Amino acid sequence: MLSLVLAESSLEIIPQNLQKHPSILSHAKRQQKKPSEMLLDNSWHFAAMKGIKDEIKRGRPDLVHVSVLAATDTPLYEMGQVGVHLHTTNNHTITFGRNVRIPKSYHRFAGLVEKLFRDGTVQGAENQLLNLDRETFPEMINRLGPSQVVGLSTEGKPASFEKVSSILDEKSCIVVGAFQKGHFSSQVQNKIDCLYSVGNISYDAHVVISRILYEYEKRHC
Amino acid sequence: MLSLVLAESSLEIIPQNLQKHPSILSHAKRQQKKPSEMLLDNSWHFAAMKGIKDEIKRGRPDLVHVSVLAATDTPLYEMGQVGVHLHTTNNHTITFGRNVRIPKSYHRFAGLVEKLFRDGTVQGAENQLLNLDRETFPEMINRLGPSQVVGLSTEGKPASFEKVSSILDEKSCIVVGAFQKGHFSSQVQNKIDCLYSVGNISYDAHVVISRILYEYEKRHC
């Protein structure tokens, strides 16, 4: 099965050293949640996040949500022909159980992921919906064991989505960055066999994901 | 310029007769908003919505949000080569100003649309970001004046996205339903010149939008 990895996704629980910041505390109170069980979100916690390490790559759960939907709402995913995996900036990895439907409602998605970070797993009636691990990007790739790792980034060799899909087989792994700005870290880049750029401009991750999976689907299904 | 219309979008302010329902009042209190200025949202207001007219086509602002992003985050939209228009189940229409970037954060999107429903317009620093009108679907199409109206629905003639994009020109209008279940109303259907079905299964609106705009972009840009 083809693998899609969302690398360095902007998805994490509010780190301990920010949990007492006034902007976090007031948001937590309104949400009736504990700061230690809430997702870091730039749109609420901007003041608290100012100047933290890797600031531009963090606190965008909205962007990760839309990117996940671009993958899991495709016929390819419904047919069980692509596995969707999430790697975060903090080296957590999330595995989606077969045919898990991710809620389009953001607050439901956030609730699901917050539960996952708290409990390590989210169980459905019949199967595991989501599973959380502590794993670096190279460890995750080694576990998946793909035939090749194909990355998409503006730093890559120019190619069309059609061209990239033509070199993919069902044991390949596609890597897309699920962060707002910046490039892959060297740890990610070092595990990528071929890096392609699919346009002159910087695409949103969800646009890249929907286009590459669509081209793969046309060719392989 | 190509037009994309999201028809019968599940986007409306909580109707007056539901504003005093306990599930609405408690949600409004928590959000520190007035029920008369909040979007109807099935994921919060399920109990209040039970049995209302056209229930399955209403209260899915999350779905509309993801569908709008699938259009406005494309290079085609950034190049000013597709106009995005929203028609709602209650016969409101929303026009997006040129190159308006829609927030990926759902609560920001909801805040923007709630402001639009309250004030009738959302103004940016230099131009109008969003504009609201009272208009039926046929009135909207007459105003846009396209060369042809091409609808996408499981009730249409089978065709691929490539095939549909091949018949589009830059004066065409594509119509996609931005609701969860059901089909176009007869008022919408009667204004459609050709109706196509792009798959055996029912696709999410955002998947249809991203694929048809991508095929159009490949052919015309």
Side-chain angles (χ1 to χ4, degrees), chain B:
Chain B
M1 194 195 323
L2 180 74
S3 301
L4 170 73
V5 173
L6 277 61
E8 297 180 84
S9 303
S10 292
L11 194 73
E12 63 181 298
I13 291 296
I14 296 169
Q16 209 174 356
N17 61 337
L18 301 185
Q19 288 173 10
K20 293 203 170 145
H21 189 281
S23 76
I24 306 266
L25 289 173
S26 70
H27 184 226
K29 194 175 166 193
R30 207 159 131 188
Q31 295 287 306
Q32 300 172 357
K33 290 180 180 175
K34 296 180 198 164
S36 60
E37 294 183 355
M38 283 170 70
L39 291 178
L40 184 68
D41 185 337
N42 178 287
S43 76
W44 292 110
H45 312 139
F46 181 75
M49 284 182 65
K50 233 172 171 180
I52 62 169
K53 189 177 165 241
D54 289 333
E55 183 182 343
I56 57 166
K57 275 191 176 175
R58 295 169 69 183
R60 289 300 306 268
D62 54 329
L63 180 158
V64 176
H65 178 219
V66 179
S67 300
V68 170
L69 290 176
T72 57
D73 283 343
T74 58
L76 195 69
Y77 181 77
E78 278 185 33
M79 290 184 286
Q81 293 194 36
V82 60
V84 179
H85 310 270
L86 215 142
H87 161 262
T88 79
T89 40
N90 283 345
N91 290 323
H92 279 105
T93 59
I94 297 175
T95 308
F96 295 79
R98 191 79 175 266
N99 274 338
V100 170
R101 294 282 290 180
I102 298 300
K104 265 185 256 316
S105 176
Y106 174 73
H107 76 92
R108 287 188 192 262
F109 169 76
L112 204 66
V113 175
E114 284 163 353
K115 182 172 161 39
L116 177 69
F117 274 109
R118 196 187 63 211
D119 301 342
T121 182
V122 177
Q123 206 68 27
E126 287 168 11
N127 59 343
Q128 202 172 40
L129 301 183
L130 300 172
N131 194 58
L132 182 76
D133 279 302
R134 264 259 168 233
E135 221 173 20
T136 63
F137 183 81
E139 285 165 350
M140 178 185 215
I141 295 295
N142 291 345
R143 172 169 58 84
L144 295 174
S147 58
Q148 59 175 344
V149 182
V150 178
L152 298 175
S153 155
T154 51
E155 287 188 320
K157 211 161 46 176
S160 66
F161 287 101
E162 276 165 308
K163 170 73 198 311
V164 177
S165 82
S166 76
I167 65 150
L168 298 173
D169 62 36
E170 58 183 30
K171 289 186 171 171
S172 300
C173 174
I174 312 168
V175 181
V176 177
F179 45 81
Q180 192 192 3
K181 277 183 192 162
H183 300 289
F184 288 134
S185 66
S186 56
Q187 200 182 46
V188 170
Q189 198 133 354
N190 290 342
K191 282 298 276 187
I192 290 175
D193 300 314
C194 337
L195 191 66
Y196 293 104
S197 166
V198 284
N200 302 324
I201 56 163
S202 177
Y203 285 64
D204 282 294
H206 73 96
V207 177
V208 174
I209 291 166
S210 61
R211 292 183 175 199
I212 193 64
L213 293 188
Y214 169 56
E215 287 291 1
Y216 180 89
E217 195 179 302
K218 276 207 288 186
R219 189 173 285 269
H220 294 267
C221 298

Side-chain angles (χ1 to χ4, degrees), chain A residues 4-212:
Chain A
L4 170 73
V5 173
L6 277 60
E8 298 181 81
S9 302
S10 292
L11 194 71
E12 63 181 297
I13 290 296
I14 296 169
Q16 208 174 355
N17 61 336
L18 301 185
Q19 287 172 11
K20 294 205 169 143
H21 189 282
S23 76
I24 306 266
L25 288 172
S26 70
H27 183 225
K29 193 177 168 193
R30 206 158 133 190
Q31 294 288 306
Q32 299 173 358
K33 290 180 182 178
K34 296 180 196 163
S36 60
E37 294 183 354
M38 283 171 72
L39 291 178
L40 183 68
D41 186 337
N42 178 288
S43 76
W44 292 110
H45 313 140
F46 182 73
M49 284 181 66
K50 233 171 170 181
I52 63 169
K53 189 177 165 242
D54 289 334
E55 184 183 343
I56 57 165
K57 274 192 176 173
R58 295 170 69 184
R60 290 301 306 268
D62 54 331
L63 180 158
V64 176
H65 179 220
V66 179
S67 299
V68 170
L69 290 176
T72 57
D73 282 343
T74 57
L76 195 69
Y77 181 77
E78 278 184 33
M79 289 183 285
Q81 292 193 37
V82 61
V84 180
H85 309 271
L86 215 141
H87 161 261
T88 78
T89 39
N90 284 344
N91 290 323
H92 278 106
T93 59
I94 297 175
T95 308
F96 295 78
R98 191 77 176 265
N99 274 338
V100 170
R101 294 283 288 180
I102 299 300
K104 264 185 256 313
S105 177
Y106 174 74
H107 75 93
R108 286 189 193 262
F109 170 76
L112 205 66
V113 176
E114 284 162 352
K115 182 171 161 38
L116 177 69
F117 274 108
R118 197 187 61 210
D119 302 342
T121 182
V122 178
Q123 207 67 29
E126 287 169 10
N127 60 342
Q128 201 172 39
L129 301 183
L130 299 172
N131 194 60
L132 182 76
D133 279 302
R134 264 261 169 230
E135 223 173 17
T136 63
F137 183 81
E139 285 166 350
M140 178 186 216
I141 295 295
N142 292 344
R143 172 169 57 85
L144 296 173
S147 59
Q148 59 175 344
V149 182
V150 177
L152 298 174
S153 156
T154 51
E155 289 190 317
K157 214 163 39 177
S160 65
F161 287 101
E162 277 165 306
K163 169 73 198 311
V164 176
S165 82
S166 76
I167 65 150
L168 298 173
D169 62 36
E170 59 182 30
K171 290 187 172 168
S172 300
C173 173
I174 312 168
V175 181
V176 177
F179 45 81
Q180 191 192 5
K181 276 184 192 160
H183 299 290
F184 290 134
S185 66
S186 57
Q187 200 181 50
V188 170
Q189 197 132 354
N190 291 341
K191 283 298 277 187
I192 290 174
D193 301 314
C194 338
L195 191 66
Y196 292 105
S197 167
V198 285
N200 303 325
I201 56 162
S202 178
Y203 285 64
D204 282 295
H206 73 96
V207 177
V208 174
I209 292 166
S210 62
R211 291 182 176 199
I212 193 65

